């Protein structure tokens, strides 16, 4: 089945033939699975050149700044689609027709409520806990409430779990926020769109139900679409790895949430806003650029750089455009936007950033829009998690639906050789 062959020549050993496969697009891959039986492992910390799986969901060309979901460019999905349609596309492989779409929306809406007892969980957390800490716990706890859909070998169970996760994630996110504020939880309303409903649960109270602004709902929906999937990133790979042991989908998504939390990944959106706060004024930019370039200083320009995109992040382009639209429509003149744009301009003309191909990523402008919508900074990564849920679950389902093996990497051991326990 190999498209080509590679030969690995190691000094003093017989050449090893390795099959080479071609995908639809992207670099060919050398299948190194047989190497182990020849007494060698590959060594690739950080997975700089490792394809961990075969997938049909998302394609990225980092040099050209291309991101496709099931073949459709992210720019077109952001403009013409909506979040639930994108979820359908990721999960099922094709865009739905009108009837399939309304059935899918209806099914998701049937699952927006969470088990009433799940609310009790919140009481165990401090109100000033970081919302991502609470999310890890509550999403993991879903497997204690939805036993009836935990058979990972049953396609129907997998589908119900996927729908439950997509439907309940905004409800849980809003619950976590309300708990942090000491306000009563607001129940979902199924006459609203996915994003309107999320904003309703976030910002309405039992005493006052305001109409959700269509501008904000559209911006929220676009943010969800832009985060929906991103190939084999750290959190998606975590979900796949956890899933490869046969763990249930709720536990796997909780693992994904934990991996997303770090500032090098989804935690960057929160870190960008904190960084802009810290910079404070355009006159301080040079000082922070110097810190980012100083190898003895741990400070990095948050929202800059990407493992895969070495030219531009197509999501950042759409995000910046959305940011302009939202602030324009709301008549907000946010000085942080001006600061961010100036920072981007200076960094993009600085040889350090140019030589290393460091460009703004999706997280650079998302915080400014989220802030304009009224979302507090510590909730930013939770929004990323809600948006990424269909991607996580689509990858998990793709893996479980086909032949797969438990993910079990090996290592280059550099510790002590065997030695005897000292006699006393
Ligand atoms: N500020 C300053 N220097 C940087 C930055 C940055 N944001 N990002 C990378 N570099 C430097 C890095 O120090 C290294 O320099 P040198 O070659 O001299 O040692 C070089 O650029 C290559 O960086 P790397 O860390 O080897 O690249 P990576 O692919 O391992 O890391 C990254 C990618 C996104 C983790 C990193 O660029 C970073 O930490 N960026 C800031 C955090 C951030 O914005 N993360 C969001 C990523 S997009 C959202 C998502 O999908 O999660």
């Amino acid at each position: 089945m190999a498209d080509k062959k590679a030969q690995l020549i190691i000094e003093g050993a017989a050449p090893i033939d390795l099959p080479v496969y071609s995908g639809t697009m992207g670099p060919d891959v050398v299948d190194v699975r047989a190497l182990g039986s020849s007494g060698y492992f590959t060594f690739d910390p950080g997975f700089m050149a490792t394809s961990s799986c075969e997938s049909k969901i998302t394609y990225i060309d980092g040099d050209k700044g291309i991101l496709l979901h099931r073949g459709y460019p992210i720019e077109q999905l952001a403009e013409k689609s909506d979040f639930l349609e994108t979820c359908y596309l990721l999960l099922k492989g094709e865009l739905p027709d009108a009837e399939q779409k309304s059935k899918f929306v209806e099914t998701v809406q049937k699952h927006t409520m969470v088990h009433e007892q799940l609310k009790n969980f919140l009481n165990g957390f401090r109100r000033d806990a970081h919302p991502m800490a609470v999310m890890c716990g509550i999403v993991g706890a879903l497997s204690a409430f939805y036993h009836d859909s935990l058979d990972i070998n049953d396609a129907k169970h997998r589908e119900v779990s996927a729908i439950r996760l997509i439907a309940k994630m905004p409800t849980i996110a809003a619950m976590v926020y309300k708990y942090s504020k000491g306000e009563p939880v607001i129940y979902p309303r199924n006459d609203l769109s996915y994003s309107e409903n999320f904003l309703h649960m976030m910002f309405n109270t039992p005493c006052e139900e305001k109409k959700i602004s269509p501008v904000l709902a559209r911006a929220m929906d676009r943010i969800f679409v832009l985060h929906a999937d991103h190939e084999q990133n750290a959190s998606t790979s975590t979900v796949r790895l956890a899933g490869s042991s046969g763990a249930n989908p709720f536990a796997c998504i909780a693992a994904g949430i934990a991996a997303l939390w770090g500032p090098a990944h989804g935690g960057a959106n929160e870190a960008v806003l904190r960084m802009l706060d810290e910079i404070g004024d355009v006159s301080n930019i040079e000082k922070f650029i110097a810190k980012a370039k100083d190898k003895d200083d741990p400070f990095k320009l948050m929202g800059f750089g990407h493992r895969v995109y070495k030219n531009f992040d197509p999501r950042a382009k759409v995000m910046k455009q959305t940011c302009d639209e939202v602030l324009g429509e709301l008549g907000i003149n946010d000085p942080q936007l001006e600061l961010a744009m100036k920072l981007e301009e200076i960094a993009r003309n600085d040889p350090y950033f140019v030589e290393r191909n460091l460009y703004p990523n999706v997280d650079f402008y998302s915080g400014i829009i989220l802030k304009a919508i009224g979302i507090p900074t510590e909730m930013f990564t939770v929004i990323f998690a809600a948006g990424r849920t269909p991607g996580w679950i689509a990858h998990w389902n793709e893996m479980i639906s086909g032949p797969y093996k438990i993910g079990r990497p090996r290592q280059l051991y550099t510790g002590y050789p065997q030695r005897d326990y000292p006699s006393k």
Side-chain angles (χ1 to χ4, degrees):
M1 243 219 317
D3 302 299
K4 287 187 230 160
K5 264 204 196 99
Q7 205 170 56
L8 179 68
I9 298 173
I10 299 174
E11 253 178 41
I16 303 166
D17 286 332
L18 300 168
V20 178
Y21 309 124
S22 300
T24 328
M25 293 187 283
D28 290 349
V29 300
V30 182
D31 181 346
V32 295
R33 281 174 291 185
L35 264 185
S37 57
S38 305
Y40 293 97
F41 294 143
T42 55
F43 181 60
D44 185 17
F47 306 117
M48 305 296 288
T50 293
S51 300
S52 59
C53 62
E54 183 186 326
S55 181
K56 292 183 169 56
I57 301 173
T58 288
Y59 173 76
I60 302 177
D61 182 327
D63 294 325
K64 296 196 183 120
I66 292 173
L67 168 61
L68 311 176
H69 293 324
R70 303 287 191 183
Y72 296 107
I74 188 66
E75 296 85 348
Q76 293 180 22
L77 291 171
E79 191 194 327
K80 300 181 181 159
S81 184
D82 60 42
F83 183 62
L84 283 185
E85 188 178 71
T86 304
C87 290
Y88 185 101
L89 175 69
L90 289 168
L91 291 172
K92 301 196 184 252
E94 295 295 340
L95 285 168
D97 60 27
E99 199 188 325
Q100 288 165 326
K101 167 120 185 249
S102 65
K103 197 158 169 252
F104 184 72
V105 171
E106 209 179 289
T107 312
V108 169
Q109 284 175 336
K110 271 196 199 133
H111 288 276
T112 48
M113 280 200 298
V114 293
H115 195 291
E116 193 64 9
Q117 260 174 265
L118 204 73
K119 272 202 307 191
N120 299 342
F121 256 77
L122 285 171
N123 298 325
F125 291 97
R126 287 172 59 131
R127 287 199 194 261
D128 62 354
H130 194 285
M132 282 297 277
V134 185
M135 287 298 287
C136 291
I138 300 235
V139 174
L142 289 177
S143 43
F145 288 87
Y146 301 102
H147 301 284
D148 58 335
S149 64
L150 292 187
D151 181 356
I152 63 162
N153 298 313
D154 182 326
K156 196 74 209 144
H157 279 213
R158 293 201 300 273
E159 193 177 339
V160 173
S161 297
I163 297 284
R164 280 184 168 148
L165 277 156
I166 291 168
K168 294 182 198 311
M169 203 61 120
T171 313
I172 296 170
M175 272 168 66
V176 168
Y177 173 58
K178 287 295 191 188
Y179 179 74
S180 74
K181 289 196 63 169
E183 286 182 8
V185 161
I186 299 297
Y187 290 107
R189 260 185 50 192
N190 292 347
D191 57 322
L192 300 175
S193 75
Y194 191 85
S195 300
E196 280 170 338
N197 177 47
F198 173 59
L199 296 175
H200 155 71
M201 294 186 291
M202 282 287 290
F203 299 119
N204 280 334
T205 66
C207 331
E208 193 182 14
E209 198 162 301
K210 288 194 205 134
K211 197 175 161 353
I212 302 302
S213 145
V215 177
L216 299 191
R218 213 170 45 243
M220 197 64 243
D221 199 78
R222 191 172 277 189
I223 286 175
F224 284 144
V225 170
L226 288 176
H227 286 98
D229 188 39
H230 212 228
E231 202 225 55
Q232 311 308 326
N233 55 84
S235 56
T236 303
S237 297
T238 302
V239 169
R240 278 188 181 257
L241 195 57
S244 77
S245 73
N248 75 68
F250 302 108
C252 296
I253 301 302
I257 293 175
L260 184 78
W261 191 2
H265 192 7
N269 53 12
E270 180 179 344
V272 168
L273 222 71
R274 298 205 189 285
M275 174 187 76
L276 292 175
D277 271 344
E278 211 185 328
I279 297 176
D281 186 78
V282 173
S283 61
N284 295 325
I285 291 180
E286 292 294 351
K287 193 173 83 196
F288 280 87
I289 294 267
K291 270 166 77 62
K293 292 180 345 189
D294 180 355
K295 294 291 166 203
D296 295 325
D297 189 325
F299 176 79
K300 276 190 172 179
L301 217 51
M302 298 316 287
F304 258 77
H306 197 275
R307 168 63 62 78
V308 184
Y309 295 121
K310 297 300 173 198
N311 197 336
F312 68 93
D313 178 342
R315 302 167 302 171
K317 259 193 175 172
V318 184
M319 199 64 92
K320 167 74 175 49
Q321 200 187 320
T322 310
C323 190
D324 292 338
E325 279 168 26
V326 173
L327 298 191
E329 282 189 65
L330 295 177
I332 296 177
N333 189 8
D334 186 344
Q336 273 189 326
L337 176 63
E338 204 189 314
L339 182 62
M341 281 164 55
K342 193 73 197 157
L343 182 64
E344 178 186 343
E345 188 196 316
I346 294 177
R348 290 184 67 167
N349 287 305
D350 187 303
Y352 173 96
F353 293 90
V354 175
E355 281 158 18
R356 288 168 179 76
N357 299 313
L358 300 170
Y359 295 87
N361 57 51
V362 68
D363 290 321
F364 193 65
Y365 285 107
S366 63
I368 294 172
I369 315 178
L370 289 170
K371 193 177 124 198
I373 295 176
I375 311 272
T377 315
E378 58 285 357
M379 283 294 290
F380 289 0
T381 314
V382 174
I383 307 284
F384 194 151
R388 184 54 55 86
T389 298
W392 287 332
I393 197 82
H395 281 272
W396 173 82
N397 195 39
E398 180 179 64
M399 183 183 71
I400 304 289
S401 311
Y404 66 99
K405 286 178 97 63
I406 186 167
R408 177 47 169 102
R410 300 304 302 271
Q411 62 177 3
L412 168 66
Y413 177 69
T414 53
Y416 285 112
Q418 182 172 336
R419 52 185 177 158
D420 288 326
Y421 189 82
S423 47
K424 289 181 182 154

